């Protein structure tokens, strides 16, 4: 059975949206390859959201209301998954956390795995009521899905 992660990270006020978006775009290939190699990720996406707009779409009046979210479903334990993040895409998080409130203190994440785990835990909306529900159309793990494809 898959487990959810909905990591919501406020962006430092005054951050250049183009620079943040460029960092995300430059990292996409590394992210895709790493998540494939981890072998427990059902899906994952990074989202930029804008708290200043009603529909949360970026481009509102204030660049100071941006949030970076990581939305994913994974197999296995939460701690193991975050450990895989550190091992496989730690450098991506190092780059992205430079834009996140309180993120610089966590980098490099490879040297701060406990602090990074605590940060993700505190900012994982999936672990806090009322967001704890999850529907899954199938009980299979990623590896079972791939084996049956």
């Amino acid at each position: 059975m898959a487990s959810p992660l909905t990591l919501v990270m406020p962006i430092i006020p005054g951050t250049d949206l183009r620079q943040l978006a460029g960092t995300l775009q430059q990292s996409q290939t590394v992210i895709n390859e790493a998540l494939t190699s981890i072998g427990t990720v059902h899906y994952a996406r990074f989202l930029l959201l804008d708290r200043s707009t009603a529909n949360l779409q970026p481009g509102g009046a204030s660049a100071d209301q941006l949030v970076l979210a990581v939305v994913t479903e994974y197999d296995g334990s939460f701690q193991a998954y975050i450990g895989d993040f550190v091992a496989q895409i730690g450098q991506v998080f190092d780059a992205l956390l430079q834009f996140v409130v309180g993120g610089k203190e966590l980098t490099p994440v490879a040297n701060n795995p406990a602090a990074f785990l605590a940060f993700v835990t505190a900012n994982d909306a999936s672990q806090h009521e009322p967001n704890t529900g999850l529907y899954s159309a199938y009980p299979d793990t990623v590896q079972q899905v791939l084996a049956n494809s």
Side-chain angles (χ1 to χ4, degrees):
M1 179 70 172
S3 298
L5 171 67
T6 310
L7 177 58
V8 181
M9 303 174 285
I11 299 301
I12 297 168
T15 294
D16 182 344
L17 178 59
R18 293 170 298 187
Q19 188 178 6
L20 175 54
T23 300
L24 273 173
Q25 289 173 343
Q26 291 171 351
S27 301
Q28 195 60 56
T29 299
V30 172
I31 292 167
N32 292 351
E33 290 172 357
L35 295 180
T36 298
S37 74
I38 289 171
T40 61
V41 182
H42 289 262
Y43 71 87
R45 67 180 180 267
F46 288 72
L47 299 170
L48 282 174
L49 304 171
D50 186 342
R51 295 178 292 174
S52 73
T53 63
N55 64 1
L56 301 177
Q57 297 301 312
S62 174
D64 293 344
Q65 295 295 314
L66 297 175
V67 174
L68 177 61
V70 180
V71 181
T72 181
E73 305 293 328
Y74 62 93
D75 298 323
S77 77
F78 178 74
Q79 284 187 306
Y81 187 48
I82 301 309
D84 287 339
F85 266 20
V86 170
Q88 298 290 328
I89 57 172
Q91 73 278 16
V92 172
F93 276 99
D94 291 344
L96 293 174
L97 286 169
Q98 300 305 307
F99 301 105
V100 172
V101 173
K104 290 180 183 177
E105 292 81 22
L106 303 170
T107 59
V109 296
N111 295 345
N112 298 291
F116 183 65
L117 176 65
F119 174 83
V120 173
T121 300
N123 291 286
D124 180 6
S126 299
Q127 305 303 317
H128 302 282
E129 294 292 340
N131 301 321
T132 57
L134 174 68
Y135 165 79
S136 181
Y138 55 88
D140 297 338
T141 66
V142 169
Q143 294 304 307
Q144 290 167 326
V145 170
L146 292 173
N148 294 325
S149 298

